[in-house]
Structures are given as structure tokens and as C-alpha cells.
Amino acid sequence: MTEARRFTGGRIFTGRRFVEALLVEDGRVVSLGSEEEVARASPAGCEGEDLSGGLVAPGLVDAHLHVAEVVRAEQGLPLEGLRAREEIGERLQRWAEMHPAGPIVGRGWSVEGFSDGEEPTRRDIESVVADRPVVLYHVSGHAAIVNGYVLDVVGITAGSPDPPGGRWGRGPDGTPNGRLYERALGAVARFSSGAYPPDPRAIGRTLRSWAALGVTTVGTLNTDPEELEVLATLAKSGDLPVRVRAYLRYARFSEVDFGRRLDAAEGGLLSVRGTKSFADGAFGPRTAWLSQPYADRPDSAGDSTLGAAELAEVVERTVSAGLVPAVHAIGDRALGAVLHAMDGASPAPTPLRVEHAALVPPELYSVLDRVRPALVVQPGFVWSDGWLRARLGPERARFAYPFRTLTERGHLLIGSSDAPYDPVDPWRGLAAAVHRTDPEGRSANPDPGESLSEEQAFQLYTSNAGRGFGEADLGTLEVGARADLVVLDAPDLGRAIDRGRSAVRATWRGGELTYRRERKAGE
Ligand SMILES: [Zn+2]
């Protein structure tokens, strides 16, 4: 007996056109068209879903986030929204009292609220906790501060050289000041993974909360084998409310037996698509690699975290394993280096991926047009990096997040949040891509000429993402596609974007209900 369901009484956006009605059978779209056409195609005993004037769109995809890190950030000490350096000590104090033993791991600080704009050091934490490990990550995850306890355990002294692609912060006399950047963070990763190992219940809960936003698929990057194991267990027990496409941490990808059998066995719920590596850092801690120095720190242009030979090896080894390299490049110089490494690489199963591609000056157009990787962008950063014009200067900031220019040049742009850097909320990204500034008018690049249309913005989070994963039946509602869809309380895409997450009435993944908003009394 097949399970069939007909959606009528509103409008359906398939990803490229609007129709009146949709029929789902066995987890796939089997018919589309007018209400009469779909009624004729429906089998006896078909269930009905009345849209009451609402809108159906393909389920939303967040193609770049970090499942384990989001869950860890939810479990650890929250440091977002600091208004002064002293608040680090205050929050740490309260947390230490509530959690009297074990390492303390926090995340989310940034210097934007600090009057001197200077990053914290070990002194800011040692006055509060000195007798156990403390690791506090910058909101970007590309820098951290630790106390002397951690430095001692790891064995960092004044004489320790910087690791390749990373850096220890130092005081005027050369002693480590507790700041860590980029690949130096590898030395302290064990404290956070030790404090918060991947927990199936916490991961399941977090994924369910994403279904309530209309999300049906995510790409998770930097996946460790332990995290993949937990996701596979959830997929096998049918407890994965959101499809997951994993990109393994490059340094450990050979540990995983990543055969595509996962796809067949779990109904497309989980599969390994590629590897993830980093060519540079981030704008926040000024570790993104630029071709010209930072406007607000003229002695620095950031740095590369992988040399040219290493980048070429990442691309070739990944492709020859039948996977796709996803390489992080935020600064323009890093983007140039990654494109150079990808230029002329052996053919891959799906488009190679550049993560972020945040700064794209016209000098890079010719190599970009030749290599044509998928560009996995974060429209929400247009809002959250409102300080970027100070970092880059107004001339260069015009080339930050140039979504319309890249779309018009025919590039495949894919939307994502990079959570936990930004919240998992595709509605925030949709609004940022269309409106270009946040509701207060702040923006990393407010150029209205870089705005996307509402349809283009949706495509970033639906059909473009499916193409990026090499899955033509994902992110669309044309006949044959997976029945991943979201029912919205809005008559059209524009009003859905304006209403944001509160527009989501129900979410279906593969024809199964993963979320339905509870009705309020009188509704
Ligand atoms: Zn990321």
C-alpha cells in the first residue's frame, strides 16, 4: 500500500514556477498542475492537505554549518553579545560556580563591544579560573583564548615556535599571552571534544529544532569520524529529521569508510560528500588572507593556513577518493590561491566547493569564470559583519558578498549560515540576500545593486544547494523530486521572507511530517 498525499488550496512554488496543486507518493513528487489535473492523478484513499491560502516551497537547505560545534556551543559557556571585556570574567565566574569541575569551554566572544577593540588575553580568565582548563573561542571559531593551565598541559612556552598555518599570541617579552589563532587551535581541540563528545540525544534535539524553521537538509563540515558515527546511528533508527550531507575534516578523512552505501541504506538521509579544509582565517580576528593590508591594521594582511603545494594535494587526494573538496577561502588572496589549486584539477563527481568566497574583486573574475566551483556563501554575514567596511575600507568592501554580480556571471551560489558563527535560520539569510541591510540599516556591503530577487534568494537555499550536492532531485518540487517541502503562512515568496521563521506552518521531509506548528486557541 502506497502512501499518497495531495496539497491543494494554495500555491506551490516548485523552485522555478508556480502551480495549484501537488501530489506526493512514497516520498516523491508524482504529479503537479491544476487542482483538477492532480485530483485525476490521485489514487483512491489519498490523504488531503488543505493549504488555506498558504504557499508550499521546496524544503530549505543550509549547505554549510557544523552540527557538532552547534551542539557544543549550546552546551558550553555562551559569550555572545559582550559589551565590555570585564563581562568575560563575570560570565566565567557564574559558569564556574554552576559547573564546579572539568574543563570550561565557551564560544562567541568578539571585540566589537570593547572600548579599546583589543582581544582578551589569559589575564582576563586567570583571575577567575586558574586551576582547570579554560578555552574560550572567538565567535568565528578562528581564534581562542586559554588560561595558563591549558598552556602548561599543551606545553607552550616562550620558546615554542608557531605551528605551520597558526600562531600563538605573545606579550611584549615573548611569553604566551593565551591567544591562539588558526591551526594553533588544533592543540586545544581535545578540551572541547573531551568536554562535549557527540551526543545522539542532543544532536537529535538540535536537528528537530531546525525542522521547525523549514529546514529539510543540511551540509555539515569538518565532520569527525565520531560525529559521523552518531549521525549514522540516528539515520538507521529513522531519527534524523533533517537530511545530512557530510564533508569530513580533511586531516581525518582517510579514517572513514565513506562508501555511498549510506545513501542506499538510509533512504538518502545521510551521506558523505567531501572533505573540508581551510586556506585562511576570518575577517573578525583579521586572519583572512588579503592581497592588500587591513584598512584598520595596516601592518597585517592576514595569512594563508595552507601552502600552494598542500592545497593542490587536498584537491587531488579528495577527488581521487571520489569526493569533493570544500575549501574555506574568505580573503581575496586565499580565494585566488584556492582557484589556482582547483584550476585544471581532475574531474570530480560534482562541482568543487569554495566555502565563503567573501571578497571577490574583479581581478579574480577570469580564473573564477574558468574554474566555476560552487560558491557556498553566507548571506547572513551581510548583517553580522556590519563592521567589515572598517576592516576593508569602503572601496574594497564593495566587492564583499557580491551575490548579484556572481549570479549574473552564471556562478552557482549556495546559501548557508556557517552556524555556530551565525544562527541556523535560513530566513535571516533570505532577508539579507534580498534587502542587503539588517532592519537597522547595518550592512557589510549595503550596495542595493547586489540584492537578489526573492526567487533567486530561495534558489540559493533550495535548488542551487541540491545541484551543489549533485542531487538534482533535492531542493526542487518538480515531478520525481524528493518530497521535501515547507508549508508557509504567506501568499507569496516576498511576504514569506518578510514574516521570516514565523511563516513556517509545517515541514515535510521525504513525504513525512517533521514539524507542524501547534494551533493557538481560536485559530
Ligand atoms: Zn564553517
Short mmCIF file of all heavy atoms in Angstrom, two decimals, residues 442-464:
data_model
loop_
_atom_site.label_atom_id
_atom_site.label_comp_id
_atom_site.label_asym_id
_atom_site.label_seq_id
_atom_site.Cartn_x
_atom_site.Cartn_y
_atom_site.Cartn_z
N ARG A 442 22.20 48.35 9.03
CA ARG A 442 23.62 47.97 9.08
C ARG A 442 23.91 46.94 8.00
O ARG A 442 23.06 46.11 7.68
CB ARG A 442 23.97 47.39 10.45
CG ARG A 442 24.06 48.42 11.55
CD ARG A 442 24.40 47.76 12.86
NE ARG A 442 23.34 46.83 13.22
CZ ARG A 442 22.68 46.87 14.39
NH1 ARG A 442 23.01 47.75 15.30
NH2 ARG A 442 21.74 46.00 14.64
N SER A 443 25.13 46.98 7.47
CA SER A 443 25.47 46.05 6.41
C SER A 443 26.96 46.04 6.16
O SER A 443 27.63 47.05 6.28
CB SER A 443 24.75 46.46 5.12
OG SER A 443 25.13 45.61 4.06
N ALA A 444 27.49 44.84 5.81
CA ALA A 444 28.90 44.76 5.41
C ALA A 444 29.10 45.37 4.03
O ALA A 444 30.19 45.81 3.69
CB ALA A 444 29.34 43.30 5.41
N ASN A 445 28.08 45.36 3.22
CA ASN A 445 28.12 45.93 1.87
C ASN A 445 26.68 46.22 1.48
O ASN A 445 25.99 45.35 0.99
CB ASN A 445 28.77 44.94 0.88
CG ASN A 445 28.57 45.39 -0.56
OD1 ASN A 445 27.96 46.44 -0.83
ND2 ASN A 445 29.07 44.62 -1.50
N PRO A 446 26.24 47.47 1.73
CA PRO A 446 24.81 47.77 1.54
C PRO A 446 24.41 48.02 0.09
O PRO A 446 23.28 48.41 -0.16
CB PRO A 446 24.65 49.05 2.37
CG PRO A 446 25.99 49.69 2.36
CD PRO A 446 27.02 48.61 2.22
N ASP A 447 25.31 47.77 -0.87
CA ASP A 447 25.04 48.09 -2.26
C ASP A 447 23.75 47.40 -2.72
O ASP A 447 23.70 46.18 -2.86
CB ASP A 447 26.21 47.61 -3.11
CG ASP A 447 26.04 47.97 -4.58
OD1 ASP A 447 24.95 48.46 -4.95
OD2 ASP A 447 26.99 47.75 -5.35
N PRO A 448 22.67 48.19 -2.97
CA PRO A 448 21.41 47.55 -3.39
C PRO A 448 21.55 46.85 -4.74
O PRO A 448 20.76 45.96 -5.07
CB PRO A 448 20.42 48.72 -3.46
CG PRO A 448 21.25 49.95 -3.53
CD PRO A 448 22.59 49.65 -2.92
N GLY A 449 22.57 47.23 -5.51
CA GLY A 449 22.82 46.57 -6.79
C GLY A 449 23.22 45.10 -6.63
O GLY A 449 23.21 44.34 -7.58
N GLU A 450 23.61 44.70 -5.41
CA GLU A 450 23.97 43.31 -5.16
C GLU A 450 22.81 42.50 -4.57
O GLU A 450 22.98 41.36 -4.15
CB GLU A 450 25.20 43.23 -4.24
CG GLU A 450 26.48 43.73 -4.89
CD GLU A 450 26.93 42.88 -6.09
OE1 GLU A 450 26.36 41.79 -6.30
OE2 GLU A 450 27.83 43.33 -6.83
N SER A 451 21.60 43.11 -4.52
CA SER A 451 20.43 42.40 -3.99
C SER A 451 19.98 41.31 -4.96
O SER A 451 20.00 41.51 -6.17
CB SER A 451 19.25 43.37 -3.84
OG SER A 451 19.56 44.35 -2.89
N LEU A 452 19.52 40.21 -4.41
CA LEU A 452 18.91 39.16 -5.23
C LEU A 452 17.41 39.33 -5.23
O LEU A 452 16.83 39.90 -4.30
CB LEU A 452 19.26 37.79 -4.67
CG LEU A 452 20.74 37.39 -4.70
CD1 LEU A 452 20.91 35.98 -4.12
CD2 LEU A 452 21.29 37.42 -6.13
N SER A 453 16.76 38.81 -6.28
CA SER A 453 15.29 38.76 -6.27
C SER A 453 14.86 37.70 -5.26
O SER A 453 15.66 36.87 -4.82
CB SER A 453 14.76 38.40 -7.66
OG SER A 453 15.04 37.03 -7.92
N GLU A 454 13.57 37.74 -4.91
CA GLU A 454 13.08 36.75 -3.93
C GLU A 454 13.25 35.32 -4.46
O GLU A 454 13.64 34.42 -3.71
CB GLU A 454 11.61 37.05 -3.61
CG GLU A 454 11.47 38.33 -2.81
CD GLU A 454 10.32 39.22 -3.25
OE1 GLU A 454 9.62 38.85 -4.22
OE2 GLU A 454 10.14 40.29 -2.63
N GLU A 455 12.98 35.12 -5.75
CA GLU A 455 13.14 33.77 -6.32
C GLU A 455 14.59 33.33 -6.28
O GLU A 455 14.90 32.19 -5.95
CB GLU A 455 12.64 33.73 -7.77
CG GLU A 455 11.17 33.46 -7.85
CD GLU A 455 10.68 33.12 -9.25
OE1 GLU A 455 11.44 32.51 -10.03
OE2 GLU A 455 9.53 33.47 -9.55
N GLN A 456 15.50 34.25 -6.66
CA GLN A 456 16.93 33.89 -6.63
C GLN A 456 17.38 33.55 -5.22
O GLN A 456 18.15 32.61 -5.01
CB GLN A 456 17.77 35.06 -7.15
CG GLN A 456 17.69 35.26 -8.65
CD GLN A 456 18.37 36.55 -9.08
OE1 GLN A 456 18.36 37.55 -8.35
NE2 GLN A 456 18.96 36.55 -10.26
N ALA A 457 16.88 34.32 -4.24
CA ALA A 457 17.28 34.06 -2.86
C ALA A 457 16.82 32.66 -2.44
O ALA A 457 17.58 31.90 -1.84
CB ALA A 457 16.71 35.13 -1.93
N PHE A 458 15.57 32.30 -2.79
CA PHE A 458 15.09 30.95 -2.46
C PHE A 458 15.93 29.88 -3.15
O PHE A 458 16.19 28.83 -2.58
CB PHE A 458 13.60 30.79 -2.84
CG PHE A 458 12.68 30.99 -1.67
CD1 PHE A 458 12.23 32.25 -1.34
CD2 PHE A 458 12.30 29.92 -0.88
CE1 PHE A 458 11.39 32.45 -0.24
CE2 PHE A 458 11.46 30.10 0.22
CZ PHE A 458 11.01 31.37 0.54
N GLN A 459 16.32 30.16 -4.40
CA GLN A 459 17.12 29.15 -5.12
C GLN A 459 18.44 28.87 -4.42
O GLN A 459 18.93 27.74 -4.41
CB GLN A 459 17.34 29.59 -6.58
CG GLN A 459 16.06 29.37 -7.40
CD GLN A 459 16.00 30.20 -8.67
OE1 GLN A 459 16.86 31.05 -8.92
NE2 GLN A 459 14.97 29.96 -9.47
N LEU A 460 19.04 29.92 -3.79
CA LEU A 460 20.28 29.71 -3.03
C LEU A 460 20.10 28.63 -1.97
O LEU A 460 21.01 27.86 -1.68
CB LEU A 460 20.67 31.01 -2.31
CG LEU A 460 21.86 31.81 -2.81
CD1 LEU A 460 21.72 32.15 -4.26
CD2 LEU A 460 22.05 33.06 -1.98
N TYR A 461 18.92 28.63 -1.35
CA TYR A 461 18.67 27.72 -0.22
C TYR A 461 17.90 26.47 -0.63
O TYR A 461 17.45 25.72 0.22
CB TYR A 461 17.90 28.47 0.88
CG TYR A 461 18.77 29.48 1.61
CD1 TYR A 461 18.87 30.79 1.17
CD2 TYR A 461 19.51 29.10 2.73
CE1 TYR A 461 19.67 31.70 1.82
CE2 TYR A 461 20.31 30.01 3.39
CZ TYR A 461 20.39 31.31 2.93
OH TYR A 461 21.20 32.20 3.59
N THR A 462 17.68 26.27 -1.95
CA THR A 462 16.92 25.09 -2.38
C THR A 462 17.60 24.41 -3.58
O THR A 462 18.51 23.61 -3.39
CB THR A 462 15.45 25.46 -2.71
OG1 THR A 462 15.44 26.51 -3.69
CG2 THR A 462 14.71 25.95 -1.47
N SER A 463 17.19 24.80 -4.79
CA SER A 463 17.67 24.06 -5.97
C SER A 463 19.18 24.19 -6.18
O SER A 463 19.84 23.22 -6.58
CB SER A 463 16.92 24.51 -7.22
OG SER A 463 16.93 25.92 -7.33
N ASN A 464 19.75 25.37 -5.92
CA ASN A 464 21.20 25.51 -6.10
C ASN A 464 21.95 24.57 -5.14
O ASN A 464 22.97 23.98 -5.50
CB ASN A 464 21.65 26.95 -5.84
CG ASN A 464 21.21 27.91 -6.94
OD1 ASN A 464 20.41 27.54 -7.80
ND2 ASN A 464 21.70 29.13 -6.90
#
